[in-house]
Amino acid sequence: MTTIDPRQSVPALPVRLASLRQELARTRRAGPRAQASDTDAPAAVLAQRIAAIALDDPERRRKAVRLVLEAELAREFGAPLLGDPRCADMLDAIQQQMQRDPESAQAVDGLGDWLLSAAPQPR
């Protein structure tokens, strides 16, 4: 199995995460009926999916990070990849590997908390 080196960075990821954070904040301010323009549709859909995770779900953080991983794979390789049954196994393996390394696990947990802190709350 290929390992994930936590010291490697994805150059464009911080920019995309900043965009997602802005979209999450915009969705929070606008309320649940906010409609996205064509240019921010992927971020808006991701924001809505993150916001839909139940507040009492003990797996909220993991699910929020999973949604970001799915969105990145779909953006990079095309949405049909997510329909491949092996994709779920691959995402499971990625998340498990990220949790095995203490530095990566801490970063992933921080990302999950950050995503959830910006997610719109149900009214």
Side-chain angles (χ1 to χ4, degrees), residues 3-101:
T3 60
I4 299 169
D5 184 350
R7 296 168 299 239
Q8 296 291 329
S9 66
V10 180
L13 189 57
V15 173
R16 287 193 293 277
L17 288 174
S19 172
L20 173 60
R21 178 110 176 151
Q22 291 171 348
E23 182 56 35
L24 285 166
R26 186 189 73 75
T27 304
R28 175 183 277 171
R29 285 190 308 271
R33 295 182 186 205
Q35 295 296 317
S37 70
D38 290 342
T39 58
D40 62 1
V45 169
L46 183 55
Q48 290 171 350
R49 291 183 71 198
I50 291 171
I53 301 170
L55 294 175
D56 61 348
D57 187 335
E59 296 289 315
R60 282 183 89 221
R61 179 191 294 159
R62 185 192 61 76
K63 288 178 180 180
V65 171
R66 174 75 165 235
L67 290 171
V68 170
L69 290 173
E70 287 177 359
E72 281 300 300
L73 284 176
R75 186 194 60 74
E76 187 68 31
F77 301 109
L81 173 72
L82 298 178
D84 185 327
R86 295 171 295 178
C87 183
D89 293 339
M90 179 182 65
L91 285 165
D92 288 342
I94 290 169
Q95 285 192 286
Q96 289 170 4
Q97 183 66 31
M98 290 170 26
Q99 290 299 320
R100 283 189 191 111
D101 177 77

